[in-house]
Amino acid sequence: MVSIEVRNACVDFPIFDAKTRSLKKAVLGKVGGKISDASRVPIIEALDNITLSLKEGDRVALVGHNGAGKSTLLRLLSGIYEPTRGTAEINGKIAPVFDLAVGMDPEISGLENILIRGLFLGMTRKEMQERVDDIAAFTDLGDYLRLPLRTYSAGMRVRLALGVVTSIDPEILLLDEGIGAVDAEFMAKARTRLVDLVRRSGMLVFASHSDELLFELCDTAIWMDEGRVRMHGSLREVLTAYKGRDPFEYMSHETLERLGER
Amino acid sequence: MSAVDIPPGPVVAHAGRSWARAAQDIRAGLAARELWGHLGWQDIKQRYRRSVIGPLWITLSMGVTAAGLGFIYSQLFGSDMSTFLPYLTVGFIVWGFILGCLLEGSETFVSNEGLIKHLPAPLSVYALRTVWRQTLMLVHNMLVYFVVLAISFGALDHAYTLSEKGIVQPGLSWSVLLAIPAFMLIALNGGWVSLLFGIISTRYRDIPPVVNALTNLLFYATPIVWPTDVLTAKLGPGDWKHLIIELNPLYHFIEILRAPLIGGQQSWTHWAVAGGVTVVGWTLALVAMRNYRSRISYWV
């Protein structure tokens, strides 16, 4: 059963600068027996007392201002950051798409990058080779897959990354903003595939500033503000509160129908 | 089915100190051998991309260094080139592996910052990537050993001395097979060095320059380009100054692998010291993994 249970989780970052990171401080700081305030490492509370419960089938949008903690929350959910206080219980196979430049080597071909991405997500070489055709068909990259990744446009990289994560049957898909670089045609295709994936047995958490993308992919939302959950509810409710107006108000009937909102 | 799957049952994550989570990280890391195997290869290929002979540059530069220094130092110490060249070559190769583990091991987590922050994977994968990369370099360098061995075989297949009135080396025999467990023991130590030094260096960025400075000194203090005979001839046996080399753990590590490969005299003390260092080192590395594993992604 796929689920995420986060209880009273905090993520506190120590901010080391050159001074506090050095051994000199740690060793010499003890001499004299007094600890000055200056030697204490400043801490940023990136996430503050988050309690969250997500279950199978949830398609959650993460909204909030820059620096509100959306990306940090995604990394908490992916297990990269373990909460410094509180707990995070994550059941399911995780597939994150965060920074598209990381874990992709621009000098090697798209095919090889698919393999490395897949290996990072816990697949074997053989399993990835079986999926290459499927990924090639989905991404429409064709012969481009044999070229080095540095020849790809931003949109093509997004296609590749989405192709890999959706091909490996993940249970928890975590997407950070940046996937907006693809064209409308591909987005429609990706939407079908992502929604299908979530319906089969999964969960999607998507952080974005683009309302259009959120409408397409999500049905509930979490509003992050200063490291806390300010609001958690249906996408329409949360966006209305966050934006101060109902974003669905002027949509055509057909669009609403398609998005499952009436 | 998958290599880094989280085991059944709920995983409650909390950035506390946990033996179980540290052990789980190392187990999952070892299981993901396709991942670090691929990354390690990629590192080597990356370094020599677009060059004509590629990773063979590793072999070639080792060959040139060994041949040049072998000639110079054999004259300095009055040694026979045909026995001194294999000694120096193997010493250099083993040193290269140890040096790589120390220097690149300290950078294990810092240099993988992007991956650590963006893809959830066991942290031990990066330590294994470092050690595997060094192993591949060693394999390339071993080609030089085989060439040197072919040239000098006639001088090594019977008892010989490295310098006049030096210790008698028994010559090559089946004990050359001891090189296999010896390498495994050294590689095992590469593992704890990468984990422990990697963790400390992530928190304290002064450590890599410190390691860098010390390795220079260690290179000259360890019998790599000079044979221990030189010291014995100078000091006479039983002098306390022999402790300079006896207390240097790197000497023992080099000796367990060098002696079998060149038919040198072997001693169980080298194995004992190397084994002791392995146990102590891994204990420290496991304690560091237990206490600070979950902090690494915060520190990088």
Side-chain angles (χ1 to χ4, degrees), chain A residues 153-196:
Chain A
S153 71
M156 288 160 83
R157 284 172 199 229
V158 179
R159 285 179 177 224
L160 192 80
L162 280 180
V164 175
V165 288
T166 53
S167 74
I168 63 165
D169 292 315
E171 290 162 333
I172 302 175
L173 250 173
L174 305 170
L175 307 181
D176 208 343
E177 46 206 331
I179 70 161
V182 292
D183 50 46
E185 187 196 346
F186 183 76
M187 200 58 229
K189 205 159 135 187
R191 175 181 196 265
T192 322
R193 189 143 152 154
L194 288 167
V195 171
D196 261 7

Side-chain angles (χ1 to χ4, degrees), chain B residues 240-261:
Chain B
W240 66 270
K241 291 190 195 102
H242 279 291
L243 287 177
I244 296 171
I245 50 172
E246 293 298 335
L247 287 181
N248 175 358
L250 295 188
Y251 166 59
H252 301 282
F253 278 107
I254 290 183
E255 203 55 33
I256 56 168
L257 185 48
R258 179 170 57 192
L261 285 176

Side-chain angles (χ1 to χ4, degrees), chain B residues 63-131:
Chain B
V64 172
T65 316
L69 286 184
F71 178 73
I72 297 167
Y73 279 82
S74 63
Q75 301 302 312
L76 281 176
F77 298 130
S79 311
D80 188 0
M81 178 87 171
S82 59
T83 55
F84 191 74
L85 185 59
Y87 174 84
L88 187 131
T89 307
V90 176
F92 250 115
I93 293 174
V94 184
W95 169 254
F97 182 83
I98 295 174
L99 180 70
C101 287
L102 286 170
L103 292 183
E104 292 176 28
S106 317
E107 303 274 347
T108 291
F109 300 118
V110 179
S111 62
N112 285 301
E113 175 184 352
L115 289 171
I116 291 173
K117 279 191 181 163
H118 288 95
L119 289 166
L123 289 163
S124 46
V125 161
Y126 304 108
L128 287 158
R129 173 188 191 170
T130 306
V131 177

Side-chain angles (χ1 to χ4, degrees), chain A residues 211 236-237 239-250:
Chain A
D211 289 354
R236 192 167 187 170
E237 271 169 28
L239 278 183
T240 308
Y242 174 56
K243 302 258 167 185
R245 62 184 165 80
D246 184 0
F248 289 80
E249 206 175 348
Y250 301 107

